[in-house]
Amino acid sequence: NAGVTQTPKFQVLKTGQSMTLQCAQDMNHNSMYWYRQDPGMGLRLIYYSASEGTTDKGEVPNGYNVSRLNKREFSLRLESAAPSQTSVYFCASRRGGSKNIQYFGAGTRLSVL
Amino acid sequence: GENVEQHPSTLSVQEGDSAVIKCTYSDSASNYFPWYKQELGKRPQLIIDIRSNVGEKKDQRIAVTLNKTAKHFSLHITETQPEDSAVYFCAASRRGTDKLIFGTGTRLQVFP
């Protein structure tokens, strides 16, 4: 039982390049999330998916797209990377129930030059 | 919109002292308040949570208190140890939504 797995762990891009961050969970959770973490800014929600087939914008969606490929996988795509997207990206998933307990992946450290 | 403010942004204490981190939320419909701990270079992990129908919850050296009227909640760590050094995030969630709104984090340093 690996929990939430993110790939890659590190990535360096040039401005204008595209890439997809991958996330998979093996806990049979319905909801999945993408956050970015910047110094002094906490964890800001980019997009989330409450269930397979649905996605919704979070606080900072501009410049990103997501795909909920199936119940296990939720990917984040940067179509044209910008230096402002340099950050640490975390994927998370939530088990059901009245408590919103989220389980995080190990993160992807992205630098855009 | 929904907002969670967290203070202080940094906190330094001597080993054995207590540490208190405070959060204020804006959405009066929020009903669930978790705290996450993030060690350096690691992922955030849940350490304690509280629901709106409870005023206080304890788990060994950590406790959380909630004041619904003032829309405040706090994390208390007693007898701090160097391994408590980390960034702590508070969060709030509203019934019926899938989102957690996080505070901006508190970097706690415990000096031996």
Side-chain angles (χ1 to χ4, degrees), chain A residues 95 99-102, chain B residues 19 21 23 32-38 44-51 54-66 73-78 88-92 100 102:
Chain A
R95 70 183 193 193
K99 287 189 177 185
N100 191 336
I101 298 176
Q102 296 188 14
Chain B
I21 302 170
C23 289
Y32 174 66
F33 307 92
W35 286 87
Y36 284 78
K37 175 183 180 182
Q38 185 181 27
Q45 292 191 295
L46 179 72
I47 55 170
I48 194 167
D49 57 12
I50 191 168
R51 292 181 193 256
V54 175
E56 182 175 1
K57 184 177 178 181
K58 273 187 175 181
D59 183 3
Q60 299 182 7
R61 295 187 298 106
I62 61 173
V64 57
T65 58
L66 172 65
F73 59 113
S74 300
L75 179 71
H76 305 253
I77 306 174
T78 58
Y88 292 81
F89 292 99
C90 63
L100 273 178
F102 284 89

Side-chain angles (χ1 to χ4, degrees), chain A residues 75-88:
Chain A
S75 62
L76 178 72
R77 183 159 178 84
L78 287 70
E79 289 291 351
S80 179
S84 60
Q85 294 179 304
T86 293
S87 188
V88 180

Side-chain angles (χ1 to χ4, degrees), chain A:
Chain A
N1 193 336
V4 180
T5 303
Q6 288 183 239
T7 54
K9 287 186 168 44
F10 302 94
Q11 185 71 47
V12 179
L13 293 177
K14 293 181 180 177
T15 298
Q17 286 186 317
S18 62
M19 80 160 295
T20 300
L21 280 64
Q22 306 286 353
C23 176
Q25 53 91 8
D26 61 2
M27 296 177 283
N28 201 34
H29 289 174
N30 285 325
S31 301
M32 297 184 72
Y33 307 81
W34 277 105
Y35 294 91
R36 61 177 289 173
Q37 184 175 29
D38 303 293
M41 303 291 286
L43 291 157
R44 293 185 294 168
L45 183 64
I46 305 171
Y47 271 94
Y48 68 104
S49 170
S51 62
E52 187 178 351
T54 68
T55 60
D56 284 287
K57 294 179 181 179
E59 183 185 356
V60 288
N62 291 345
Y64 305 96
N65 284 301
V66 290
S67 295
R68 183 74 183 267
L69 304 169
N70 48 55
K71 191 171 186 179
R72 290 187 64 247
E73 298 171 289
F74 188 38
S75 62
L76 178 72
R77 183 159 178 84
L78 287 70
E79 289 291 351
S80 179
S84 60
Q85 294 179 304
T86 293
S87 188
V88 180
Y89 291 85
F90 285 99
C91 177
S93 69
R94 174 198 171 186
R95 70 183 193 193
S98 58
K99 287 189 177 185
N100 191 336
I101 298 176
Q102 296 188 14
Y103 298 84
F104 286 82
T108 295
R109 188 173 294 275
L110 175 67
S111 293
V112 183
L113 306 178

